[in-house]
Amino acid sequence: MTVLGEFVLPRDRPVWTSTLVDVLAMFGIEEKSARQALARTAAEGWLVSQRHGRRVRWSLTAPGRRLLTEGAERIYGFGREHTPWDGSWLMLLVSVPETKRDLRHSLRTRLTWAGFGSPTPGVWISPDPSRQDEAKAIVRDLGLDAEAMSFVAAYGSVGDEDAMVARAWDLTALEERYEDFVDEFAGLAPASGEAVLHAQTRLVHEWRRFPFLDPRLPGRLLPENWSGAKAAELFHRRHVEWRPVAQRHWDALIGAEEAA
């Protein structure tokens, strides 16, 4: 999906199976696994195949193009937003019995992906009150809306706001992942077109995880010298720097395949 989003989505043209297989081989993916991935992606409705003699080429379907366009907006926009925070918290109260473990897991997974943290069982918080509609949709989808309650308020004088944040989100683990990202790409200097395409794909593939891991807390709630800011600056700088060469190499691969 990273390869499709980075190189196929910007072009309104199909791509040969052999091109995709060759590119995936750069990442140690065997031909059989690459072909299975293509078949699986097509079965999910994101790709459609066209046969030309013994050869096959692939195009994005309309749903596939929408999916990757939305993903691109999320990936490339992540780390650029700096919305002022007025100190308001959205609090969601919703508890699930221990006996309904699958439901508890679904709730935790979906609220975590939406950027919520849980400082204590049954309590979910977000410094972004605009996520209230998203929270409402989640609890409704899971059949928990009758028991759920929400509040929007400022933190009071009892307790410590920073301690609440530390309990709700594991920022230490997240910062370590950001530091690993910086360590991996800060000193990377690919020379050839193939190496740049490889580096660019890895860069995007690793970065695309962070919108699901990072709750995007306001700056005043984050530790000093937050590694996420450094990682975001590095990602956007490297992506702009490597993109022209990576795209030219992709075009060269396409041209060579079409001339064959």
Side-chain angles (χ1 to χ4, degrees):
M1 296 302 285
T2 302
V3 170
L4 293 175
E6 189 68 14
F7 301 105
V8 178
L9 179 63
R11 295 165 175 79
D12 188 20
R13 58 193 296 190
V15 57
W16 295 106
T17 300
S18 52
T19 301
L20 293 168
V21 168
D22 289 346
V23 170
L24 292 176
M26 297 180 189
F27 303 92
I29 299 174
E30 297 181 354
E31 180 177 349
K32 180 180 179 181
S33 297
R35 291 180 180 275
Q36 288 174 341
L38 282 169
R40 197 163 52 244
T41 305
E44 292 171 353
W46 313 131
L47 284 176
V48 63
S49 62
Q50 303 166 315
R51 182 168 291 279
H52 292 260
R54 299 181 62 183
R55 306 172 72 197
V56 174
R57 60 183 186 178
W58 301 85
S59 300
L60 292 169
T61 62
R65 186 166 289 277
R66 283 197 302 272
L67 176 74
L68 291 175
T69 298
E70 291 170 2
E73 291 172 353
R74 181 172 60 247
I75 293 166
Y76 304 138
F78 184 72
R80 293 187 182 277
E81 61 280 84
H82 299 286
T83 306
W85 186 51
D86 64 1
S88 296
W89 287 94
L90 169 61
M91 176 183 291
L92 177 69
L93 304 181
V94 55
S95 59
V96 180
E98 178 65 31
T99 54
K100 299 182 178 180
R101 293 186 177 180
D102 289 346
L103 183 58
R104 285 167 64 96
H105 176 73
S106 296
L107 179 67
R108 175 170 291 277
T109 299
R110 294 186 62 177
L111 287 175
T112 298
W113 281 357
F116 284 79
S118 180
T120 192
V123 177
W124 292 86
I125 58 172
S126 169
D128 184 357
S130 70
R131 291 178 176 169
Q132 190 159 197
D133 287 343
E134 188 173 3
K136 184 177 181 179
I138 291 171
V139 296
R140 183 180 62 241
D141 290 348
L142 296 176
L144 297 169
D145 47 328
E147 294 85 10
M149 295 177 284
S150 65
F151 303 87
V152 175
Y155 194 88
S157 60
V158 178
D160 182 84
E161 191 173 41
D162 290 338
M164 178 187 71
V165 170
R167 290 196 301 271
W169 292 280
D170 189 352
L171 296 180
T172 299
L174 177 59
E175 187 156 40
E176 288 175 355
R177 296 194 66 155
Y178 274 129
E179 289 171 356
D180 288 343
F181 179 88
V182 172
D183 290 343
E184 181 173 359
F185 294 103
L188 203 58
S192 67
E194 180 177 316
V196 174
L197 186 147
H198 184 271
Q200 179 83 329
T201 306
R202 280 178 49 214
L203 178 83
V204 175
H205 189 67
E206 293 302 318
W207 184 253
R208 68 184 297 168
R209 307 172 195 272
F210 287 110
F212 298 101
L213 297 172
D214 192 330
R216 287 156 286 183
L217 300 179
R220 67 186 248 198
L221 298 176
L222 296 170
E224 289 188 31
N225 301 316
W226 175 240
S227 295
K230 185 191 301 182
E233 189 278 329
L234 175 64
F235 168 77
H236 293 293
R237 175 161 48 85
R238 283 284 190 254
H239 190 264
V240 169
E241 176 186 336
W242 290 341
R243 190 177 192 280
V245 176
Q247 296 292 332
R248 282 199 299 270
H249 188 72
W250 176 268
D251 286 335
L253 293 174
I254 296 294
E257 195 62 44
E258 291 179 347

